[in-house]
Amino acid sequence: MEELQTMKKKQYLEQPKERISGSEAIVRCLLAEGVDMIYGYPGGAIMPVYDELYKYQNEIHHVLTRHEQGATHAAQGYARISGKVGVAMATSGPGATNLITGIADAQIDSTPMVCITGQVASHLLGSDAFQETDIVGISTPVTKWNHQITNAAEIPEVIAKAFYIARSGRPGPVLIDITKDAQFAEFDFQYKKCEGVRSYLPVPKTDKASLDQAAEIINGAKKPMIVWGQGVILAHAEEQLKAMIEKTGIPAAWTILGASAISTSHPLNIGMVGMHGNYAPNVLTNDCDVLIAIGMRFDDRVTGKLDEYAKQAKIIHFEIDPAEVDKNVKTDVAVLGDAKESLTQILPLLEVKTHKSWHQKFKDLYAIEFEKVIKNDLHPTKDGLTMGEVLNEINSKSGGNAAIVSDVGQHQMITCRYADFNVSKSNITSGGLGTMGFALPAAIGAKMAAPNREVIAIIGDGGYQMTIQELGTIFQQKTAVKIVVLNNNFLGMVRQWQQLFFDKRYASTEMTNPDFVAIAKGYHIQARRVSEREELGSAIEEMMKSQDAYFLEVCVEKEDNVFPMVPSGASVSDIRLE
């Protein structure tokens, strides 16, 4: 498949100049960039491009989502599991504005994506024409770059630049808005890949002095700790990180988006940091003498109260984006550059260590968390089902090899805490923006990008109903995703805050839900509901054995809470176990 795509790319890159329309040029540009999948929704202002896609449907598969937001999330899922640039397409006006949530999500989570929108004819710009919206102005704060094309001759250069910017350095979303007259106009087309943009330095050069300084601090540390983020995955630096922690014996924790870079079963993997992370890495953040951050941005959900975050430690920050250095946490040494290159270069400078007594502290605190939280989540004695035991059962049936796509809420935190990950790029979720409705369309994109992998969407009953219409996309495309809705008839995370901090005033958080099984069956998707513990194992086994899409609703305890928890505004060492 990869070889075929490379041949196609070469074919469209080596063509001599040819007079074609702007709309055909757009499609040929996409083929030259190796695009094989587009998620979108047609409309008047983008119709010329769709007419050309019809002619090239054997080379590019267009997926008709049921909403433009679904197209962006599907493109995100495709990009996150494949490492390629996801592509979404929409018409002008409401079609374009419906892309914004997914674009903002991709911007915060560094997901490479190119969005193409149609626009009214150039002579109508600024006239409040039907379905005219200034999508370039609207999307400017949430894109890595955007551009409006009014002249067909601009198309090859702008699209080449769009893909280069989207995938290079710290990845992100790019939006190209193309007027309808530019789509119809003819010009002499030839495509040339973009190899660089003036004044744009996607990967800063790693300074040897910073590597030497960082190595000296790490080698002298008595209680070092690593926190890695998604930057490790984006840089394909998983093996380098593993080699580093195994050589140095440094305990390593992860942010939500960093999960799966190293197997959850690795003995030096100490769990998740952050608001609902593991007890030991949160508490010992404020006890370590050196904190090594790799490809993470010190998000507030990780740091808690900033003026009490790791004040005793020397901070070393491996980072590709200079804007992230010293933005939230003051660093002692910043190692700029691509994480794979930086870790490769520093590895020979690091000494072999074990840090046995330091590791014991993590084990002791884990034992406390296990007794107070984990045991009750995974092996409950109460009558009702817990979200944790559902994940535990999924682990036993998947062997930790499935790609898990989670939505946003309590189930997301439970999934990140308890899912087993043996393969990188297996934890796909909305991190920075926290977009409810992300998981269902993102799982579609992930499954299409990796058809041989098991893709399981874990969703709450609230977020599920925000993009439930994408069941239609699953049905039409015959996409074999597995959907697990953990139904507690509440907006669970908000309810938890209302219980703990608002005296149980459950304002607008209780859900009266429809018959989810009947809806799934309406889309000809196998479906089952489980409410008893005795049924859970067989239901998940049935789901995993299915060769087609499968919907499983699990009715869980209504008022279960997710612990540990760092209360808003508190220090990470003030994490609560109950």
Side-chain angles (χ1 to χ4, degrees):
M1 185 67 182
E2 287 288 336
E3 198 174 310
L4 183 62
Q5 262 189 286
T6 304
M7 287 174 60
K8 284 182 180 179
K9 284 165 68 174
K10 192 174 179 183
Q11 172 193 343
Y12 288 101
L13 281 168
E14 292 181 351
Q15 284 189 339
K17 282 188 178 181
E18 183 181 357
R19 195 160 189 84
I20 59 174
S21 69
S23 55
E24 185 171 6
I26 292 165
V27 177
R28 290 205 192 177
C29 290
L30 295 175
L31 286 166
E33 289 292 342
V35 174
D36 59 357
M37 196 85 65
I38 298 174
Y39 300 91
Y41 206 98
I46 196 70
M47 207 174 294
V49 178
Y50 272 86
D51 188 53
E52 290 299 330
L53 278 173
Y54 184 80
K55 301 171 189 175
Y56 286 88
Q57 58 188 302
N58 291 331
E59 296 178 72
I60 297 182
H61 181 54
H62 179 271
V63 178
L64 175 63
T65 57
R66 295 308 187 259
H67 192 282
E68 292 88 353
Q69 181 182 343
T72 52
H73 293 327
Q76 285 178 276
Y78 176 94
R80 291 273 288 274
I81 202 169
S82 69
K84 300 176 184 177
V85 177
V87 180
M89 191 177 293
T91 192
S92 63
T97 58
N98 282 343
L99 298 176
I100 291 296
T101 296
I103 292 172
D105 195 290
Q107 174 79 339
I108 297 176
D109 285 355
S110 303
T111 304
M113 180 165 69
V114 170
C115 294
I116 296 172
T117 55
Q119 184 56 274
V120 300
S122 53
H123 72 278
L124 292 173
L125 291 172
S127 70
D128 292 331
F130 177 67
Q131 290 193 335
E132 182 201 357
T133 303
D134 179 12
I135 194 60
V136 170
I138 291 169
S139 65
T140 294
V142 293
T143 49
K144 192 176 176 184
W145 182 65
N146 65 14
H147 186 85
Q148 185 176 75
I149 296 175
T150 58
N151 180 353
E154 289 185 275
I155 288 171
E157 183 181 356
V158 171
I159 290 182
K161 187 176 176 182
F163 275 86
Y164 174 75
I165 291 173
R167 66 163 68 97
S168 60
R170 180 181 180 177
V174 171
L175 182 137
I176 305 300
D177 191 45
I178 309 174
T179 60
K180 196 167 184 178
D181 52 322
Q183 296 172 46
F184 278 122
E186 292 189 347
F187 72 104
D188 293 329
F189 170 80
Q190 190 174 44
Y191 195 75
K192 184 180 178 183
K193 291 271 283 189
C194 180
E195 303 293 345
V197 177
R198 191 178 65 179
S199 78
Y200 170 53
L201 183 66
V203 183
K205 189 176 180 181
T206 303
D207 175 49
K208 187 178 184 307
S210 67
L211 289 168
D212 291 340
Q213 193 179 354
E216 184 180 357
I217 293 172
I218 293 169
N219 290 335
K222 302 299 181 188
K223 297 188 291 183
M225 176 175 157
I226 288 172
V227 177
W228 85 80
Q230 189 187 204
V232 170
I233 295 171
L234 295 173
H236 308 288
E238 296 93 340
E239 288 304 314
Q240 288 71 23
L241 175 61
K242 184 181 176 188
M244 179 185 183
I245 67 172
E246 288 179 348
K247 182 176 183 179
T248 62
I250 299 175
W254 37 271
T255 68
I256 285 175
L257 294 183
S260 81
I262 292 177
S263 170
T264 45
S265 62
H266 194 287
L268 293 171
N269 184 335
I270 54 170
M272 182 171 78
V273 292
M275 181 172 280
H276 291 285
N278 291 102
Y279 188 53
N282 272 301
V283 169
L284 295 178
T285 292
N286 284 352
D287 189 30
C288 67
D289 59 358
V290 175
L291 182 65
I292 305 149
I294 306 175
M296 55 87 78
R297 59 190 178 87
F298 292 109
D299 175 76
D300 65 291
R301 288 296 171 103
V302 167
T303 64
K305 191 176 182 181
L306 266 175
D307 58 11
E308 294 181 16
Y309 181 78
K311 290 300 177 184
Q312 79 294 337
K314 289 186 176 180
I315 308 291
I316 299 170
H317 194 178
F318 288 78
E319 178 58 50
I320 197 170
D321 185 355
E324 293 295 347
V325 175
D326 294 335
K327 186 176 81 174
N328 296 325
V329 173
K330 180 68 178 172
T331 59
D332 292 274
V333 181
V335 181
L336 291 174
D338 175 82
K340 185 174 184 176
E341 293 179 13
S342 299
L343 295 180
T344 299
Q345 290 178 49
I346 202 171
L347 190 60
L349 307 177
L350 300 176
E351 297 173 359
V352 176
K353 298 279 183 77
T354 58
H355 299 292
K356 285 185 178 178
S357 60
W358 176 229
H359 275 286
Q360 191 58 47
K361 286 194 173 187
F362 287 91
K363 292 174 182 176
D364 292 344
L365 291 179
Y366 175 81
I368 294 171
E369 182 183 354
F370 183 84
E371 283 301 314
K372 292 201 169 189
V373 179
I374 297 172
K375 183 171 69 174
N376 297 323
D377 281 347
L378 301 184
H379 308 287
T381 54
K382 62 180 77 172
D383 292 336
L385 288 165
T386 67
M387 291 179 280
E389 67 181 308
V390 178
L391 263 297
N392 199 31
E393 196 64 48
I394 288 172
N395 287 336
S396 72
K397 299 296 189 293
S398 71
N401 295 316
I404 307 291
V405 186
S406 57
D407 212 78
V408 173
Q410 287 182 314
H411 66 280
Q412 177 191 36
M413 296 297 103
I414 289 289
T415 298
C416 291
R417 281 178 55 79
Y418 295 123
D420 287 342
F421 296 119
N422 294 329
V423 183
S424 187
K425 298 188 183 73
S426 291
N427 181 48
I428 301 168
T429 193
S430 172
L433 196 63
T435 305
M436 292 177 69
F438 170 89
L440 187 61
I444 295 171
K447 182 63 178 178
M448 288 182 165
N452 295 324
R453 290 200 66 185
E454 198 69 77
V455 175
I456 305 171
I458 310 291
I459 317 177
D461 50 308
Y464 181 58
Q465 293 179 82
M466 289 191 171
T467 50
I468 194 172
Q469 70 274 6
E470 298 306 333
L471 291 175
T473 307
I474 291 171
F475 171 48
Q476 183 168 346
Q477 299 294 324
K478 298 180 172 57
T479 310
V481 295
K482 310 297 167 61
I483 307 156
V484 179
V485 167
L486 302 180
N487 184 4
N488 58 8
N489 292 105
F490 262 115
L491 299 177
M493 185 62 81
V494 183
R495 184 213 56 75
Q496 178 168 334
W497 280 59
Q498 289 172 334
Q499 177 185 338
L500 298 177
F501 308 116
F502 293 88
D503 298 324
K504 294 189 177 182
R505 293 187 294 276
Y506 296 152
S508 301
T509 47
E510 190 161 9
M511 306 281 288
T512 301
N513 289 320
D515 186 337
F516 290 130
V517 169
I519 292 170
K521 287 182 176 178
Y523 285 100
H524 303 279
I525 294 171
Q526 297 177 72
R528 182 173 173 180
R529 179 185 295 112
V530 168
S531 58
E532 301 296 329
R533 185 163 289 120
E534 294 74 24
E535 302 175 277
L536 182 62
S538 63
I540 290 176
E541 185 172 5
E542 180 181 294
M543 176 184 78
M544 297 298 286
K545 285 181 176 178
S546 174
Q547 299 299 306
D548 303 310
Y550 192 104
F551 173 83
L552 176 63
E553 176 187 1
V554 184
C555 302
V556 296
E557 286 278 314
K558 284 193 72 170
E559 296 189 61
D560 263 358
N561 289 330
V562 182
F563 287 106
M565 179 181 183
V566 179
S568 182
S571 165
V572 289
S573 53
D574 292 330
I575 188 168
R576 293 173 53 171
L577 289 171
E578 54 190 10

